[in-house]
Amino acid sequence: MIKLREEESEFMSKLLIEGGHTLSGVINVSGAKNSIVAIIPASILAEQEAVIENVPNISDTNDLISILNLLGVDSTFTDNTLKINNSNLKNILIPAELSTKLRASYYFMGALLAKYRHAELYYPGGCNIGARPIDIHLKSFEKMGVQVTFLDDKYILDAKELNGADIDLRFPSVGATINIMLAACKASGITRISNAAMEPEIVNVADFLNSMGAKITGAGTKEIVITGVNKFHNGNIKIIPDRIEAGTYLLAGALIGKDLVINNLNPNHLEALISKLEASGVKMQIDSDKITVSSSKNLIPINVKTLVYPGFVTDLGQPMQVFLARCNGVSLFEETIYENRMQHIKYLQKMGAKIKMDNNNIALIKGPCHLHGTSVTATDLRAGATLVLAALIAKGITKIDGVKHILRGYDSLPIKLKKVGAKIKIVE
Ligand code: UD1
């Protein structure tokens, strides 16, 4: 067995993974990143206090808490519970270096509009997986009476009156659906969102807003109705399990698990992934809050196309490609949500995967591939998770650079994987 040494890399934070070790035991899934990143900005709408449970300890959470603190909000974050008190909230400009750290800083647009009818924010950051415009958010705000100006690299959103409106989304954007809900819950009158995104995280955010006195119905369907209210009270919510984290570990189990239990998940949120794995021949024991999975031989190649929820989620598209590389034959993968979500392919190829690209968003994957360890770079969050999966099944040691991307969205990934038998560690 190859020994992992601390001195493998002295200067950069890297993940070192020695592949080929069977994963057994229990992995507990944390709270959903895509919920907490909206719920933290939403918490400024509480009358004073909000209590949020099952909060994932990821860098996106910590960056948003830094923004809250900058806005004058007091917070404590212990044992995955975040308590906030916003009695001293101020509406001040969030510096570019903070708001460009993550995509979800744009939820302060909706939340500050609801609270102050005025918000100023720099363009949000996040993974470089496509152009990611925010035109749907801005056009929807305009329909509600907001004047949008872009000046000195920042958006100035100003509403003399914030009014409910009928908003038909040209695409069911997750971010726009949540941002409209945030602004609309304290607007005058009724807002109807048609062609709304239906992701489970949207329901979680609506439940939190409703816990504070908002009147939102239909979250989780294509039609959401929000009746504006003047006054909010204190709020509380439990963050739902992270379906992307759960799906990533489910794939790890399907690749190299033996009775690996993925615990604290909601299988209903993973239906598209589960049905693809079943079609490929993976055997799973599915219970109400956990799935037990083992790797299988002779996996059948399958075709996967990413879609909006409840279709196959784009965030699991990249990790899924490692599984396709293990199937016996040619699988076809198509990414339909983002234009630039294939930057990891060159690294999978470097590890020995036989992947042919067609048209930038279609990959023909020929398996079964036998991967080998090498040096690779995580270019974005899910690309990082993909390389971790590839490294877990590769022969030898893989060094993954760009660990900060992975830590944005996976709570304690090295610790969780080590506990079930992976040889993995972060070195500085
Ligand atoms: C959210 C998730 C992200 C996930 C994505 C799709 C968060 C913090 N992030 O991202 O993990 O990959 O949903 O499930 O929840 N679009 C526009 N104009 C807009 C808004 C979006 O053209 O104003 C396009 C985007 O460029 C993209 C597609 O719509 O091609 C989907 O974007 P959207 O659903 O808004 O994703 P995010 O909310 O950014």
Side-chain angles (χ1 to χ4, degrees):
M1 192 197 300
I2 306 163
K3 273 217 159 146
L4 300 180
R5 294 174 303 140
E6 288 289 350
E7 63 270 25
E8 290 275 3
S9 165
E10 287 175 55
F11 306 107
M12 304 276 281
S13 182
K14 288 187 203 299
L15 263 182
L16 292 188
I17 299 175
E18 183 182 79
H21 299 280
T22 302
L23 307 180
S24 291
V26 181
I27 296 181
N28 288 315
V29 174
S30 298
K33 164 188 166 290
N34 288 351
S35 279
I36 189 62
V37 297
I39 282 172
I40 290 176
S43 71
I44 66 167
L45 297 177
E47 186 181 23
Q48 275 195 335
E49 289 172 7
V51 178
I52 309 162
E53 293 172 90
N54 199 33
V55 175
N57 196 352
I58 52 179
S59 64
D60 271 15
T61 301
N62 291 311
D63 288 336
L64 285 164
I65 293 173
S66 301
I67 294 180
L68 280 185
N69 295 344
L70 183 111
L71 298 177
V73 177
D74 287 329
S75 64
T76 58
F77 182 27
T78 41
D79 297 333
N80 299 101
T81 297
L82 175 62
K83 293 184 182 166
I84 71 110
N85 183 317
N86 65 24
S87 335
N88 297 318
L89 182 73
K90 313 178 279 264
N91 189 8
I92 53 171
L93 179 67
I94 301 163
E97 56 273 23
L98 261 181
S99 53
T100 55
K101 271 192 171 174
L102 73 171
R103 187 94 204 132
S105 57
Y106 61 19
Y107 290 132
F108 282 102
M109 289 182 170
L112 289 168
L113 275 172
K115 187 97 181 178
Y116 296 107
R117 307 307 197 233
H118 184 89
E120 295 190 19
L121 272 133
Y122 289 96
Y123 201 85
C127 289
N128 176 22
I129 51 178
R132 307 187 85 178
I134 57 167
D135 58 307
I136 304 175
H137 305 234
L138 300 175
K139 282 206 180 82
S140 306
F141 290 148
E142 281 174 341
K143 275 205 120 180
M144 299 176 73
V146 178
Q147 195 187 342
V148 178
T149 316
F150 188 67
L151 191 70
D152 295 336
D153 279 346
K154 62 178 187 284
Y155 291 98
I156 301 168
L157 310 179
D158 197 63
K160 292 211 166 37
E161 284 181 11
L162 191 63
N163 295 315
D166 284 348
I167 299 171
D168 188 8
L169 301 184
R170 74 165 165 80
F171 180 88
S173 153
V174 174
T177 301
I178 292 177
N179 240 337
I180 299 165
M181 283 195 324
L182 289 167
C185 63
K186 281 196 146 196
S188 312
I190 295 177
T191 299
R192 285 189 186 79
I193 312 176
S194 318
N195 197 27
M198 301 194 289
E199 272 70 358
E201 293 77 19
I202 292 170
V203 181
N204 208 195
V205 177
D207 286 346
F208 177 53
L209 291 168
N210 285 342
S211 84
M212 298 189 284
K215 289 197 173 137
I216 303 173
T217 57
T221 74
K222 279 186 177 307
E223 298 282 331
I224 302 179
V225 179
I226 306 128
T227 306
V229 295
N230 282 330
K231 197 164 160 43
F232 268 26
H233 41 83
N234 293 337
N236 58 77
I237 192 73
K238 184 173 181 189
I239 303 295
I240 58 168
D242 194 308
R243 64 198 162 98
I244 313 299
E245 188 198 16
T248 305
Y249 292 132
L250 195 55
L251 284 166
L255 286 165
I256 192 157
K258 185 161 187 312
D259 297 326
L260 182 68
V261 180
I262 319 300
N263 193 30
N264 292 341
L265 52 69
N266 184 338
N268 299 327
H269 297 166
L270 287 160
E271 269 177 13
L273 173 65
I274 290 169
S275 74
K276 286 290 174 194
L277 293 180
E278 281 174 342
S280 188
V282 175
K283 299 273 181 297
M284 286 167 282
Q285 163 73 39
I286 302 172
D287 296 304
S288 60
D289 63 350
K290 63 173 190 279
I291 299 178
T292 309
V293 60
S294 300
S295 66
S296 321
K297 291 212 163 67
N298 301 321
L299 294 166
I300 302 160
I302 47 171
N303 295 339
V304 177
K305 182 175 178 171
T306 61
L307 293 167
V308 295
Y309 190 81
F312 195 98
V313 58
T314 170
D315 290 359
L316 283 175
Q318 294 153 291
M320 185 69 178
Q321 291 160 15
V322 181
F323 176 82
L324 299 182
R326 277 298 236 229
C327 295
N328 282 309
V330 178
S331 298
L332 191 124
F333 177 88
E334 186 178 0
E335 167 60 40
T336 72
I337 308 293
Y338 292 108
E339 329 73 88
N340 191 24
R341 210 163 204 182
M342 295 288 196
Q343 295 170 76
H344 59 289
I345 294 278
K346 59 177 177 291
Y347 296 111
L348 289 182
Q349 288 167 332
K350 190 177 173 197
M351 293 177 76
K354 294 194 176 66
I355 303 178
K356 216 172 115 192
M357 291 301 295
D358 181 14
N359 226 353
N360 222 20
N361 281 335
I362 295 178
L364 286 161
I365 304 174
K366 188 160 184 269
C369 298
H370 298 284
L371 305 181
H372 53 82
T374 180
S375 295
V376 293
T377 302
T379 49
D380 58 79
L381 167 57
R382 307 302 168 189
T386 306
L387 296 173
V388 168
L389 292 182
L392 289 171
I393 57 168
K395 193 160 185 271
I397 292 182
T398 304
K399 291 183 192 180
I400 305 177
D401 222 329
V403 174
K404 66 172 187 187
H405 292 293
I406 301 173
L407 301 181
R408 277 193 47 218
Y410 288 86
D411 185 343
S412 315
L413 176 136
I415 296 168
K416 289 187 187 186
L417 283 173
K418 202 170 177 175
K419 207 180 124 222
V420 294
K423 293 268 179 275
I424 178 168
K425 68 174 169 181
I426 290 190
V427 290
E428 294 306 319

